[in-house]
Structures are given as structure tokens and as C-alpha cells.
Amino acid sequence: MKKDNFTEAFGKADTDSESALTGGFELTDGSRVAVLGGGPAGSFFSYFLLDIAGRVGFVPQVDIFEKRIFSKVGAVGCNMCGGIISESLVQTLAAEGITLPPTIVERGIDSYILHMDVGSTRIDTPLQEKRIAAVHRGAGPKDSTGTRWGSFDGFLLDMAKAKGANHLQGQVTDISLVDGKPVLSVKGGESKQYDLLAVCVGVNTPTLKHFAELPIDYTPPKTSKTFISEFYLGEETVGKYLGSSMHVFLMNIPRVEFAALIPKGDYVTFCMLGEDIDDDLVRRLLETDQVKQCLPPGWEIPKVYCHCSPKINVKGAHPPFADRLVFIGDCGATRLYKDGIGAAYRTAKAAAATAALHGVAAADFRKHFMPVCTSIERDNLIGKFIFGFNRRINKLEQDRKGILGMVLHEQEKPTRPKRMSMVMWDTFTGSASYGDILLRTMHPAFLFGLVRHIVSSFLNPKNFNGRKG
Amino acid sequence: MESGNLGKAFNDGDVIIRQGDEGDCMYVIQSGAVEVVRHVDGKDVPIATRSEGEFFGEMSIFEREVRMATVRARGPVRVITVDKKNLMKRIQEDPSLAFRLLQTMSQRLRELSGEVAHRKSR
Ligand SMILES: Cc1cc2nc3c(=O)[nH]c(=O)nc-3n(C[C@H](O)[C@H](O)[C@H](O)COP(=O)(O)OP(=O)(O)OC[C@H]3O[C@@H](n4cnc5c(N)ncnc54)[C@H](O)[C@@H]3O)c2cc1C
């Protein structure tokens, strides 16, 4: 923690607004709001709290504590993620007036290529438009000297600052409740009391354990280990071999729910989600022909490369709020495996609207914020079922051939309904809710199509070997 | 940084939406500018220009009428299509998403009323 920064900012804020610390549960002019964590959840929350409060006519004092430096390469500036901003989030942000510039977006994605051991096929966005953004969360991988693109998290943090939030660079080391109000302490011992604490620390931090020690009822999220790596290829090579497509691998490898190669600017991100992914599993997948065929001929796993094994939330916190405390993004509720940034936006906005329009008591969050978290968690139950079903279907070669056959058939003519293609698209890009996806798979035409293609793969097994769409 | 462009590209003069067509989406300008023209009595009457960050075609989100004007690219432009269904679902969960749309539409209405009053007073 830069002591000067903290003392200066808070020393000033203390004298300016001491009297503004309110006893009630409603935020008013000068109310103090601490945002712990300046990742997507923290920045979205700050931005929308200031925006909505401004519309109804008051200005809270919002302090964002963030330990990372998003302008730096490597771990110190990175929030470890695949960096896909989903199609639905890109659209929603555009409607909010937040357009993502090409200085932040490293690649616009308009299609994905589904790779299976039985063949591969390309699926384009419904409108053939680049509506998915591939970004780096920090300034770039650790072996780079910085990419030409800026950090996505830095962009969001700047947006919150431009709305009026204070950014305090450094780590919060202690959290307590004094007279029912949250108090944050930083290295060096300074501490300050707030009317509201928005906890946006994600799940890759030891900070969550502080909340177990508070006299509140909070069970942190359940997590699982994942894997991400960054491989340098150079912009031209990335464009040549991966294009503007995300490459998704559906293979019969145990414990793997999802693996993808995501083209960025000069780098390609390799991402694996599933149950406790370990080095062996990573190597096994990276060495398959399906992965190798997406990369330049002769490509080998480099000896040294930027990689990490972050945790991912697989079951939300409960309850994600208390009086004057709200848990947003990954440390509260998020979507299973997909569109975590979209879920951070949704929960942040719901929390901001609750705090600005209703109040910061547990009852306010229960009534106005919790429904969004519950809807995400309910949808995740369906998501678990879909991924479980996927896993089962992946075990049988004929089923994999059936899926591929159906997608290939749909892609042959533009006029054909794209039932399986869209189910795949939405499952892998996180563009629709799991409930929506499940409903579509129950359509008689979908089921008939799938059965027809599975039967046909049994009858004509040779048709499928290594087919490409 | 070409690789990071989002949306769909249009060249100068390209028609993005056409008056009288049915619409089920609105557009947000990612970069560049567009011209809104209304076809009246065989003539194209320019009614507005919209630039980066602004949206157009929003009426089809709220009503089921055909497009009331044609929108053309003014120089190279990139736009992001926002689907009606996606937006409606989001607005249902978060009505405050409509704040900005309503604010802009109310500003446009205010400008229009000003213009009508000005013309009537002449
Ligand atoms: C392998 C993997 C791939 C993923 N891919 C995608 C994807 O492609 N698209 C997508 O939408 N989502 C993806 N996600 C999910 C996404 O990363 C998260 O949902 C998202 O980052 C959640 O945002 P957040 O703000 O809640 O938490 P975080 O992004 O984790 O941010 C928390 C912030 O809090 C700060 N912080 C923590 N403790 C302290 C402290 N004590 N003091 C000060 N600061 C602190 C941290 O430095 C950090 O900046 C992926 C996740 C994983 C694990």
C-alpha cells in the first residue's frame, strides 16, 4: 500500500465528510461506500452506484481498494481469465453507453470452431458480426514487455474513476465491524469506517477468510481449480491460424468440461475448465492433434510460458449480503463456467440499484439484490445438468458423431434451422441462460434431428472420420 | 489494432436500416457517424446525424411499427447490433437499463418539440 496515497485520499475524505457517516440504512450525499476489489464487479458497482445516485440527486463518496496494478504485465496486473466478453454483455454494455474500444479489445470474435476427435466444424455468429470481444485483463502476459492493447480491468476502473470514484492502490489487510459499520484497515495500520462495504474480491484471494471471522452469516463460494496459459505467436500468425474464431475442444477426456484456444492480439490464450485440472491433463490436451492443428506446424509447448491455475466459483456464497455488506461478482454469485464478467455486471448493477434506491440493510439486499443471485444460481443448476449430459454424450463416439453430423448438416445451407449450432454457440460463448438452452434442446425437432444423426452415424460410420465443415 | 474492431463495418453511403422495413434490433455506433434521412414526397430529408456511442433504430425495441427513417453511413462506420429479445430480457431483470434509452429519447423529443414550436412561431 502506498501510504501517501491512502493517507492523502482518506485524510482528506475524513475531514470533508466525517459528518456524512449516517446512522440509517439509506445512502445520502457524502455517504461513505468502500468497494473492496477493483475487478469487473468492483468497477461496475462503483460506476452504476454513482450513476444511479446521480440520477436521483445525491453523491456518495466511493473508495475503490485495489491491490493489482492493471498497467503492469504478468501476475501483478492480471485477474486470470479467458478474457471473453460474451455476446450478450457486449450488447448490454453498448446499450448502457459503454462501447469497448479497439485499444482494449485485442480481437473481435465472429465465429467458433468446434473440434472433436471425430472432426471439426465452424459455426458463425447468428448475424455474422463481431459481437464477442477477446481481451487481456491486465497489460499482458509476464513474458511480454506489454502488449499494444490496454487492460480490460484498467479500462473499467478508469470508467469508475471518471464517474467520481476514488481509487486507492493497495491491499486491505483487515476488515471488522464497529457499531455495525464496516471498518477497513490497510498495511501501515490506517483504518476507516464506512456506511456500506461492497465486497468484490473474487475467489482468488485470502481476503475472503476475514468474513468468516465477522459476526455475520456468510458461507463463501465453493471453488474448483482451472488452468490458463498464454502462448506468443505474433499478431500475423494468430490471425493466420486462428482467425477471428474461438476454438472449442469437446473431447473424451475425463474431468474436462471445456477447453478453448482464444485468439488475442499477439497471443493465444489456452483455457481449461473442469474438475481440478492438473498439469498432466493440460499436457494431454495440448498434445492432441486437434489442438496442434490449430497452431503453426511444428509448434511445441514452450519451456517457459505465462500460466496460472486460478480458482473458479462453482457454487455461490450464501447469503451474499448482511447489513451494510454486499458480496458481488465471483465472491457472491456468478454463472457456472461462462460469462463470469457478465454475471459480475448483473450482480453489481443489482447491488448498486438496491443501495442507491432502497437502502443498505440486509432486508433491502434480500428483497432487491438476492433475486438476481437466486436466478443465476438456479440457472447454474440447469447448467450443471447440461454439462453433465455433455460429459455423458462425449463418452460415446457415436453420440459425438451425431452432434457433429447435425451441426455439419445445419451449416451446409444457410436456410436450415440452426438448432444444434445455436445450442452449442450459446453453451460455449455464454450468450444465453442455461434454462434457455435446455428449453431449446427439448424441442421435438431438435431431439428428432439428434437421434437421426446418431442413428446415421451408426449406419455410416465411415462418413464421419475426420470430417471438417 | 484492426483486429479488435467490434460490430459490423459499413462504407460511406451504405444503408444500415431502410425506412418501411421491419426491425427487431437497435444499433449502437462503435466508430464513425451516420445520417438519418426521411423519405417524404419523393425526397430524402436529412433529419439528424448520430456519432460514436449514440444509438439509432431504438423505436423498434419499444413498438412493432416499421422503420420510420433510413439510416446511412457517413464515411466508414462500425455498428453493434443490439437484439430486441436480448435487450428486453435484460430490461425485465434490470429496468434501470432503460434509463439511458429513455433519457436519450426524451432529449430527442425535447429537441423535436423545440423545433416544432420554432416552426409554428414563424
Ligand atoms: C480459467 C478461467 C477462465 C475464465 N474465463 C472467462 C471468460 O472468458 N469470460 C468471462 O466473462 N469470465 C471468465 N472467467 C470468470 C471471470 O474471471 C470472473 O467471473 C470475473 O473475474 C469476476 O470478477 P470479480 O470482479 O468478481 O473478481 P476478480 O476479477 O477476481 O477481481 C477481484 C479483485 O479484487 C482485488 N482484491 C482481492 N483482495 C483484495 C484486497 N485484500 N485488497 C485489495 N484488492 C483486493 C483483486 O486484486 C482483484 O482485482 C474465467 C475464470 C477462470 C478461472
Side-chain angles (χ1 to χ4, degrees):
Chain A
M1 166 68 63
K2 279 187 205 153
K3 198 170 170 180
D4 291 350
N5 183 342
F6 181 82
T7 315
E8 232 173 69
F10 277 172
K12 181 173 169 289
D14 262 340
T15 48
D16 283 355
S17 59
E18 192 70 58
S19 59
L21 203 61
T22 54
F25 283 108
E26 266 186 32
L27 297 183
T28 56
D29 251 338
S31 288
R32 290 174 179 174
V33 178
V35 180
L36 179 46
S43 293
F44 280 134
F45 173 79
S46 309
Y47 178 88
F48 288 114
L49 176 68
L50 286 158
D51 183 69
I52 300 170
R55 286 179 196 276
V56 290
F58 74 95
V59 186
Q61 180 205 312
V62 178
D63 296 329
I64 306 176
F65 293 83
E66 174 51 58
K67 63 178 182 196
R68 296 205 193 282
I69 305 170
F70 297 126
S71 56
K72 292 214 164 158
V73 300
V76 67
C78 178
N79 269 328
M80 305 172 288
C81 143
I84 286 286
I85 314 300
S86 72
E87 202 179 18
S88 57
L89 184 59
V90 166
Q91 289 179 67
T92 308
L93 290 182
E96 292 274 19
I98 303 169
T99 46
L100 305 175
T103 46
I104 298 298
V105 180
E106 299 200 5
R107 205 159 284 268
I109 305 280
D110 57 7
S111 53
Y112 80 79
I113 300 182
L114 174 66
H115 299 275
M116 296 166 121
D117 53 348
V118 290
S120 22
T121 183
R122 178 191 166 100
I123 301 176
D124 284 293
T125 29
L127 290 173
Q128 310 216 315
E129 180 176 325
K130 289 182 177 166
R131 283 202 298 188
I132 294 180
V135 301
H136 270 125
R137 302 284 299 272
K142 73 171 180 203
D143 51 346
S144 66
T145 47
T147 64
R148 280 167 292 145
W149 292 267
S151 143
F152 175 72
D153 286 20
F155 168 78
L156 294 183
L157 186 57
D158 285 345
M159 217 174 68
K161 278 157 63 180
K163 268 271 177 222
N166 307 312
H167 166 212
L168 295 142
Q169 182 70 61
Q171 182 160 3
V172 169
T173 52
D174 193 34
I175 299 136
S176 56
L177 286 173
V178 176
D179 301 329
K181 291 195 174 181
V183 174
L184 297 193
S185 309
V186 293
K187 247 187 215 162
E190 293 109 317
S191 55
K192 188 172 172 188
Q193 193 167 36
Y194 286 89
D195 293 299
L196 169 67
L197 168 59
V199 188
C200 309
V201 293
V203 286
N204 288 291
T205 172
T207 305
L208 273 181
K209 74 176 187 302
H210 291 292
F211 295 95
E213 289 153 18
L214 294 184
I216 56 165
D217 173 26
Y218 170 75
T219 313
K222 285 209 174 94
T223 58
S224 173
K225 205 172 108 183
T226 63
F227 177 85
I228 309 176
S229 57
E230 298 279 348
F231 299 119
Y232 178 84
L233 295 180
E235 191 179 0
E236 214 183 300
T237 314
V238 174
K240 183 169 168 195
Y241 286 91
L242 293 119
S244 49
S245 308
M246 187 166 113
H247 293 251
V248 176
F249 302 90
L250 259 196
M251 321 279 263
N252 182 21
I253 297 183
R255 307 202 326 264
V256 181
E257 297 288 10
F258 172 82
L261 281 172
I262 301 158
K264 302 277 173 76
D266 290 323
Y267 283 78
V268 54
T269 304
F270 177 68
C271 194
M272 259 173 101
L273 307 181
E275 260 172 60
D276 293 318
I277 307 291
D278 56 30
D279 284 356
D280 274 356
L281 215 52
V282 172
R283 198 158 276 278
R284 200 170 142 195
L285 199 90
L286 275 176
E287 280 174 353
T288 57
D289 290 346
Q290 284 75 20
V291 172
K292 287 204 159 174
Q293 76 185 10
C294 303
L295 296 164
W299 181 86
E300 294 290 340
I301 305 172
K303 285 210 168 62
V304 185
Y305 59 97
C306 186
H307 63 283
C308 57
S309 298
K311 287 189 259 180
I312 196 163
N313 169 329
V314 289
K315 188 169 189 296
H318 195 79
F321 58 81
D323 279 338
R324 299 186 190 282
L325 280 178
V326 59
F327 296 81
I328 306 169
D330 272 16
C331 65
T334 190
R335 274 197 79 190
L336 181 72
Y337 298 137
K338 294 280 150 239
D339 195 23
I341 300 171
Y345 158 82
R346 284 170 66 192
T347 52
K349 189 117 193 253
T354 305
L357 302 175
H358 304 283
V360 297
D364 297 314
F365 290 121
R366 183 174 298 112
K367 189 163 175 199
H368 303 285
F369 166 70
M370 192 59 194
V372 172
C373 303
T374 309
S375 124
I376 292 175
E377 288 296 334
R378 280 207 188 122
D379 193 52
N380 285 347
L381 291 178
I382 303 175
K384 274 188 186 140
F385 172 78
I386 292 178
F387 280 104
F389 183 72
N390 228 357
R391 226 177 297 137
R392 262 167 186 268
I393 224 170
N394 263 337
K395 283 202 176 123
L396 291 173
E397 190 181 317
Q398 302 307 333
D399 289 353
R400 295 199 296 281
K401 285 181 176 173
I403 294 177
L404 184 71
M406 190 164 164
V407 175
L408 285 169
H409 176 77
E410 289 172 358
Q411 297 295 319
E412 262 164 24
K413 284 199 183 139
T415 48
R416 284 192 182 143
K418 306 276 183 288
R419 297 187 199 281
M420 178 61 87
S421 308
M422 284 314 295
V423 161
M424 290 286 177
W425 175 265
D426 288 331
T427 309
F428 296 125
T429 59
S431 296
S433 69
Y434 291 123
D436 224 56
I437 296 169
L438 185 69
L439 260 184
R440 278 183 274 147
T441 61
M442 288 175 169
H443 193 285
F446 177 93
L447 293 169
F448 176 74
L450 181 58
V451 171
R452 185 163 77 95
H453 283 92
I454 291 176
V455 171
S456 136
S457 76
F458 264 111
L459 299 177
N460 312 299
K462 283 196 182 133
N463 275 3
F464 283 89
N465 289 339
R467 260 177 83 173
K468 279 191 185 178
Chain B
M1 303 211 162
E2 290 267 296
S3 64
N5 281 324
L6 292 179
K8 220 175 195 164
F10 292 89
N11 294 319
D12 188 31
D14 285 354
V15 171
I16 306 171
I17 58 180
R18 196 179 296 278
Q19 185 175 332
D21 282 358
E22 279 183 19
D24 59 357
C25 60
M26 68 169 210
Y27 300 86
V28 179
I29 304 174
Q30 179 79 3
S31 61
V34 299
E35 179 181 40
V36 186
V37 291
R38 203 163 148 72
H39 201 68
V40 192
D41 302 332
K43 273 192 285 179
D44 278 348
V45 184
I47 49 176
T49 54
R50 307 267 175 252
S51 52
E52 206 171 304
E54 289 190 283
F55 55 78
F56 59 88
E58 72 283 3
M59 285 178 184
S60 73
I61 297 285
F62 298 105
E63 51 181 30
R64 292 188 66 189
E65 297 291 321
V66 293
R67 301 281 190 198
M68 51 99 40
T70 292
V71 178
R72 280 197 298 245
R74 244 189 172 191
V77 60
R78 289 199 83 94
V79 298
I80 292 186
T81 314
V82 179
D83 308 327
K84 181 175 189 161
K85 207 168 160 197
N86 180 59
L87 192 65
M88 286 315 231
K89 270 191 207 161
R90 292 287 318 123
I91 291 177
Q92 191 196 10
E93 178 181 291
D94 166 26
S96 72
L97 178 58
F99 281 173
R100 184 171 170 269
L101 295 179
L102 292 174
Q103 183 186 13
T104 310
M105 286 168 85
S106 120
Q107 263 165 12
R108 287 178 186 169
L109 200 62
R110 194 185 282 264
E111 280 164 21
L112 201 67
S113 322
E115 180 115 337
V116 172
H118 182 71
R119 277 173 193 264
K120 282 201 167 173
S121 69
R122 273 194 295 185

